[in-house]
Amino acid sequence: MVVPELSLMNINHRYYSIETFFKAAGEAGYRNIELWTGSMHLYVDCHEHDSVDKIRDLAAQYGIKIVCVCPEQNNPKPWNIAARGNEARARTLAYFKNVVDIAAELGAEQVMVSSGWAFLNEPIEDAWGRSASMLRAIAEHAGERGVRLVLEALQPVESMIVNSAADTKRMIEAVDHPALKACLDLGAMAVAGDTIDDYFDLLGDDVAHVHFVDVAADGTTHLAWGDGDRDMRADLDRLVTRGYRGVVSAETYDWRYFANPAAADAQVMAEYRRAIGA
């Protein structure tokens, strides 16, 4: 059986330069990254974005493939996929088109998307409809650029629109575009009470990306492998058993890692290598 390759996100390196991130990733043995578009590393808005030349050069220098682009998109960021109002929706669509174009320029096959978020004083189905409409519009552009979108469920504290495997399936069916697939996030999955089997039973080959994070017993997510209470070796084995062919991306993200993110990255890689016997 094929073991998924490990990928790393730069979201933990927000207090370091993008050059430092690539150097740390290369030295730790990563050959894939998921590029988070924090403004300190790659600025993008609805009008423009930084040149990707530096990112492309760094990837080539360290022998790293960019497998996914993860844009900023949740409250309080202005790029809400379930945005309300014509002006906000036009800006949001322009932003995500820019992100898709960045992915295409960098040779990344995927762009991470969420459902966006709803106002608490509106019917959830109103926001659901806006989300589905926007995702369809972004998917149309992604399909034209040869990029796929991967939809990540969020935790209820982040959004009430798509929280579970069943919600993800329902949204993908509502959008009904071949460029939209699913992301299995272990943190959101655990909070929702879902399992890896639930995702594959419902979504099958539509599971195209995995955020591979440890989760503590108190529900804290986005932890480095070994800092939580999940049996992540069993999680990896289950993904292999279910025939998953994508990467597993370490979305390690917590204040405790900001001062020394490279140590957390190295810890995840060491646990991964032990799990696969490398």
Side-chain angles (χ1 to χ4, degrees), residues 6 36 41 80 99 138 146 151 178 199 219 238 259 265 267:
L6 186 62
W36 169 68
H41 291 165
N80 176 15
V99 173
I138 301 168
L151 175 64
Y199 268 83
R238 199 67 202 148
D265 301 341
Q267 175 181 315

Side-chain angles (χ1 to χ4, degrees), residues 75-201:
N75 196 337
K77 305 301 180 182
W79 322 114
N80 176 15
I81 280 179
R84 188 165 67 184
N86 291 337
E87 294 86 356
R89 291 180 61 76
R91 288 193 299 267
T92 299
L93 179 57
Y95 169 77
F96 279 96
K97 284 184 173 181
N98 276 343
V99 173
V100 167
D101 292 344
I102 287 170
E105 289 182 52
L106 290 172
E109 297 177 348
Q110 303 182 141
V111 166
M112 174 65 54
V113 292
S114 74
S115 60
W117 54 272
F119 288 101
L120 297 180
N121 60 338
E122 68 172 336
I124 192 65
E125 287 303 319
D126 289 356
W128 179 280
R130 297 195 305 268
S131 178
S133 175
M134 181 65 71
L135 285 169
R136 189 177 303 111
I138 301 168
E140 288 172 357
H141 183 68
E144 292 170 358
R145 295 305 311 269
V147 174
R148 65 175 168 260
L149 308 179
V150 284
L151 175 64
E152 174 186 41
L154 298 178
Q155 299 177 43
V157 295
E158 300 169 306
S159 171
M160 299 182 298
I161 302 175
V162 171
N163 301 130
S164 66
D167 293 341
T168 304
K169 177 179 174 62
R170 180 184 166 215
M171 182 59 82
I172 288 175
E173 289 177 342
V175 173
D176 191 25
H177 193 287
L180 181 62
K181 303 299 181 182
C183 170
L184 187 168
D185 181 280
L186 288 181
M189 181 194 80
V191 170
D194 286 331
T195 66
I196 290 172
D197 283 331
D198 289 333
Y199 268 83
F200 281 90
D201 288 346

